[in-house]
Amino acid sequence: MFKRLAMLSALVLAPNVALADKEFIDSDGATYDCAEDPTVNISNGSGTFAFTGACKEININGSKLIVTVSEVVDLNINGASNAVTAEVVGAIHINGVKNKVTWKKARTGKKPSVQSNGKGNAVTKAK
């Protein structure tokens, strides 16, 4: 009885959490407003994607993707030869090779936090 009550209490008191992130799998591309769901996962071999609104997290798992972002807190790239252009970005995490990220403005401070593991990755501020 106590276990059931504890589980029920945990469910009732738990913060609202999205049941599922927006997933793009085997898609040639899309335009998506992050106001609908601020966490996005792209698992593709190629395609062109555009994200409007404020995104909390964009996870790119693939290669040869072209991604345009209005605003993102955390940009995570796992793959190769992806090109991302972001208007506003907080943190950039890259695992892979030959990925290119261009950003215009940091969410806070002068530049976003950047972690890059792999060869040939480039993170630059747009001119």
Side-chain angles (χ1 to χ4, degrees):
M1 174 74 175
F2 180 72
K3 283 185 178 181
R4 281 190 199 159
L5 184 57
M7 286 176 46
L8 182 59
S9 296
L11 288 173
V12 171
L13 297 175
N16 290 337
V17 178
L19 296 176
D21 300 336
K22 179 62 178 171
E23 300 277 345
F24 293 97
I25 300 171
D26 297 328
S27 172
D28 290 338
T31 298
Y32 181 75
D33 185 351
C34 283
E36 295 178 36
D37 190 331
T39 300
V40 178
N41 301 309
I42 307 169
S43 299
N44 257 44
S46 63
T48 301
F49 296 85
F51 298 99
T52 61
C55 301
K56 179 181 176 186
E57 184 175 356
I58 296 178
N59 301 301
I60 299 171
N61 300 300
S63 59
K64 299 180 182 176
L65 296 165
I66 299 169
V67 180
T68 304
V69 180
S70 293
E71 181 177 353
V72 62
V73 176
D74 289 308
L75 175 63
N76 303 301
I77 302 170
N78 298 298
S81 302
N82 296 296
V84 180
T85 302
E87 290 289 323
V88 179
V89 64
I92 301 166
H93 308 276
I94 304 172
N95 290 304
V97 296
K98 297 182 182 179
N99 294 290
K100 180 181 176 183
V101 178
T102 304
W103 58 275
K104 288 189 178 180
K105 182 179 176 187
R107 287 191 77 240
T108 59
K110 292 185 179 184
K111 61 182 183 174
S113 167
V114 176
Q115 293 179 338
S116 179
N117 299 310
K119 294 186 180 190
N121 295 314
V123 177
T124 56
K125 183 175 182 181
K127 295 180 182 185

